[in-house]
Amino acid sequence: QVHLVESGGGLVQAGDSLRLSCAASGRTFSSAAMGWFRQAPGKDREFVACISRSDSTYYATSVKGRFTISRDNAKNTLYLQMNSLKPEDTAVYRCAYGSMYSTAVKDYVYWGQGTQVTVSS
């Protein structure tokens, strides 16, 4: 079992930055692939970014160049640095613990409850 807790969301203006954190406990964090997903009202859950246990990263086209995923294995914490935020980034952001390095929801086994990010224009 893995317990994931996100923090760092909030209400910001377009162009601002936020850093989300995801604290993990339970299984060995360093050996897992981790991901960030988001879901806006009325829309499906959407892949944002993922990081492998060897620190390879992959981003959705919509966030590439603006968002950066990283991990601190000593702190069992996953991060998502979000710069140049846009109103269309508004969503609940959830971190996930994966069985493999993947962009697919089905490949993630444990999920956090999420943190709300709202970007005003």
Side-chain angles (χ1 to χ4, degrees), residues 5-8 18-24 29 34-36 48-51 57 59 67-82 95:
V5 179
E6 302 94 336
S7 61
L18 278 175
R19 188 177 80 156
L20 306 184
S21 298
C22 170
F29 175 79
M34 298 293 296
W36 285 101
V48 175
C50 60
I51 185 167
T57 58
Y59 298 91
F67 291 11
T68 302
I69 188 172
S70 62
R71 64 195 301 164
D72 185 336
N73 292 332
K75 296 182 178 180
N76 282 1
T77 303
L78 177 73
Y79 301 101
L80 185 68
Q81 177 67 43
M82 305 186 295
C95 63

Side-chain angles (χ1 to χ4, degrees), residues 39-107:
Q39 188 166 16
K43 294 188 176 181
D44 291 336
R45 193 175 308 178
E46 175 187 33
F47 166 78
V48 175
C50 60
I51 185 167
S52 73
R53 56 185 178 182
S54 59
D55 289 346
S56 296
T57 58
Y58 189 80
Y59 298 91
T61 301
S62 59
V63 307
K64 194 171 184 179
R66 299 188 297 123
F67 291 11
T68 302
I69 188 172
S70 62
R71 64 195 301 164
D72 185 336
N73 292 332
K75 296 182 178 180
N76 282 1
T77 303
L78 177 73
Y79 301 101
L80 185 68
Q81 177 67 43
M82 305 186 295
N83 298 330
S84 303
L85 283 161
K86 304 175 181 180
E88 51 264 43
D89 294 319
T90 295
V92 174
Y93 284 71
R94 300 176 72 181
C95 63
Y97 180 107
S99 61
M100 60 186 299
Y101 178 51
S102 170
T103 65
V105 170
K106 66 177 180 64
D107 291 324

Side-chain angles (χ1 to χ4, degrees), residues 1-5 22-29 75-76 97 110:
Q1 187 74 16
V2 175
H3 188 52
L4 302 172
V5 179
C22 170
S25 61
R27 291 190 179 182
T28 305
F29 175 79
K75 296 182 178 180
N76 282 1
Y97 180 107
Y110 300 104

